[in-house]
Amino acid sequence: MTEWNKRKQVAQAKIDASASDLNNISQEIWSHPELGYEEHHAHKILTDYLEKKGFEVTRNYHLDTAFKATYGTDGGVHVCVICEYDALPEIGHACGHNLIAECGAAAGLGIKAAMELDGTPIGRVTVLGTPAEEGAGGKIDLIKAGAFQGMDVAMMAHPYAYTVPQPVALSMLEMKIHFTGLASHASAVPWEGVNALDAAVMCYNSISVMRQQLKPEWRVHGIFTNGGAKPNIIPEEAELFYYLRAPTQEALSQVKKKVVGCAQGAAVATGCECTVKDLGGFANVVTNPTVISIYKREASQMGVVFDDNSGSGSTDMGNVSYVVPSIHPMYDIGTMAANHSRPFTAAAGAAAAQPPTLVQAKSLALTALEVMKPGNEEVLANIKKDFALQMGGAKA
Ligand SMILES: NCCC[C@H](NC(=O)CCN)C(=O)O
């Protein structure tokens, strides 16, 4: 056996030997669901554990509930494994971020064990704790703070109903559409009023009608966040909250133009004022072809079979993929339930999710080791070449 294959075995054995600890971490996070930027319990248990395992830990890293846990030396390849740990309102860990945290910590442990085999670490591994993927996107704050500078590759794995190495993750924009009318008694003098709720309903309906003309991969979905105060007051304020999505930033701007047109039309029809507030969003994920081909090879050798079924959500890992060569595979946790559903919450906390999570952690760890391997400098050169080509044709 080559020295490097020995290291790969050590990584896998370390993850297997830590299975019970890792499951406990996952269960702790799953049973204490915390919203984005409030993940204090998850932050504590992950940082305490990684510190105990010999990582140099920075708590509250640029954000209250972000962390950096790092091991190794500078000057070699620097690999980042990402943890997420925020939950959804009301339905808990319905996106399985407890498992993303477990997988990131597990991969980090495995890589570290392999690196320190002969006492001389080659390169650096950082486990990065990133808050609020379901919210404003903590990775975007961390990018702005420079947390990804000097990293060569970033990777994570996300729970799902299928196993997809290169899922579609769309560019996304969050938008609030606010209508202002004029209040009046809805029974005594309704003609004195200007009805903001009517404008919001017309806008919602126009967007729904427009949907037939949207490209199949475009997404527009919204809710009413204000529909008036009382039935006997003509609503003077009404508000819609929409997510707009498309495969690229260019296509997203076309979707935005159409939605703004619907809002303006509804305002004219009802005599209301309309303001559209752009709340920012996420970039699409640009998967690095060299890294994903290594990942696919390593995962296949462990018996992982890939499906051809990609969802099309969005993630702040998309923003990371514009600053560091990245992969964001998704994997089957033993459920057919959709993410963001209550059955998915149950699946994310079930024992059946553990074996596939550890296989993903091993696949990420072995992918990282392949990039770090002395003599494999051409691999890193190819990763950088892919990235330069991809970024030449893409805008975040
Ligand atoms: N506010 C951003 C929502 C992101 C959300 N992400 C996912 O569902 C992917 C996995 N967590 C989305 O709506 O796509």
Side-chain angles (χ1 to χ4, degrees):
M1 184 187 305
T2 65
E3 198 262 345
W4 206 255
N5 280 345
K6 176 99 195 332
R7 288 190 191 246
K8 284 173 145 185
Q9 279 202 342
V10 166
Q12 296 183 72
K14 181 69 182 180
I15 293 170
D16 282 333
S18 312
S20 160
D21 286 354
L22 292 162
N23 182 32
N24 288 342
I25 288 173
S26 178
Q27 287 300 317
E28 266 297 309
I29 297 174
W30 185 84
S31 53
H32 295 89
E34 299 166 300
L35 296 181
Y37 299 116
E38 294 168 14
E39 312 98 320
H40 299 284
H41 185 63
H43 174 270
K44 179 169 170 40
I45 58 166
L46 285 162
T47 52
D48 286 355
Y49 182 70
L50 291 167
E51 193 169 61
K52 207 169 77 189
K53 295 295 164 187
F55 286 85
E56 186 188 317
V57 172
T58 309
R59 294 177 172 79
N60 321 115
Y61 184 56
H62 301 295
L63 296 169
D64 258 10
T65 55
F67 68 84
K68 175 169 91 167
T70 194
Y71 172 80
T73 52
D74 294 328
V77 179
H78 186 172
V79 171
C80 173
V81 197
I82 287 177
C83 294
E84 293 173 2
Y85 30 80
D86 59 323
L88 286 150
E90 297 178 14
I91 54 174
H93 274 290
C95 214
H97 292 192
N98 57 308
L99 299 171
I100 299 177
E102 173 182 354
C103 184
L109 280 186
I111 297 166
K112 176 174 178 286
M115 284 167 67
E116 63 196 358
L117 187 61
D118 67 0
T120 37
I122 301 151
R124 179 170 288 284
V125 58
T126 295
V127 181
L128 200 64
T130 66
E133 190 278 334
E134 298 289 356
K139 295 183 195 65
I140 298 171
D141 303 303
L142 291 170
I143 290 167
K144 286 184 189 146
F148 289 91
Q149 269 168 23
M151 289 176 172
D152 294 300
V153 174
M155 50 176 77
M156 59 175 281
H158 196 299
Y160 188 43
Y162 300 92
T163 300
V164 189
Q166 199 170 332
V168 174
L170 299 168
S171 287
M172 176 190 151
L173 174 66
E174 301 193 10
M175 178 188 274
K176 285 215 164 144
I177 306 171
H178 191 94
F179 293 98
T180 307
L182 194 65
S184 179
H185 196 294
S187 177
V189 274
W191 46 85
E192 293 286 330
V194 177
N195 195 321
L197 176 60
D198 282 349
V201 170
M202 288 181 78
C203 176
Y204 186 90
N205 286 338
S206 299
I207 291 170
S208 299
V209 170
M210 180 188 75
R211 206 171 268 117
Q212 189 190 6
Q213 268 65 55
L214 297 184
K215 291 194 175 160
E217 65 275 16
W218 293 2
R219 297 283 183 277
V220 179
H221 42 98
I223 57 169
F224 284 77
T225 46
N226 184 2
K230 210 167 179 279
N232 64 357
I233 306 170
I234 297 287
E236 62 176 346
E237 306 287 345
E239 191 174 70
L240 297 165
F241 185 16
Y242 269 92
Y243 286 4
L244 282 42
R245 311 190 200 225
T248 61
Q249 294 291 318
E250 286 80 5
L252 189 61
S253 64
Q254 292 177 50
V255 180
K256 180 179 173 186
K257 199 166 157 210
K258 286 173 184 289
V259 169
V260 169
C262 292
Q264 288 167 341
V268 170
T270 55
C272 288
E273 295 292 320
C274 163
T275 51
V276 174
K277 203 160 156 196
D278 179 336
L279 302 174
F282 296 169
N284 53 304
V285 171
V286 180
T287 298
N288 187 277
T290 300
V291 184
I292 205 65
S293 71
I294 298 170
Y295 162 86
K296 278 161 76 176
R297 192 184 67 219
E298 297 296 344
S300 305
Q301 279 171 6
M302 260 179 282
V304 172
V305 176
F306 296 111
D307 300 308
D308 188 18
N309 188 323
S310 175
S312 44
S314 307
T315 166
D316 55 1
M317 191 64 189
N319 299 67
V320 173
S321 75
Y322 276 80
V323 293
V324 182
S326 298
I327 59 168
H328 178 272
M330 300 182 86
Y331 67 99
D332 176 6
I333 57 164
T335 179
M336 290 307 290
N339 292 58
H340 294 202
S341 71
R342 289 184 190 277
F344 199 90
T345 308
Q354 287 303 304
T357 298
L358 296 189
V359 168
Q360 288 301 317
K362 290 176 194 172
S363 305
L364 296 183
L366 299 195
T367 303
L369 291 169
E370 200 56 32
V371 181
M372 296 169 114
K373 183 175 166 180
N376 256 5
E377 288 74 17
E378 201 184 329
V379 171
L380 186 61
N382 286 338
I383 291 169
K384 288 185 189 294
K385 209 189 304 167
D386 292 341
F387 185 68
L389 273 174
Q390 288 175 313
M391 291 306 119
K395 284 197 204 104

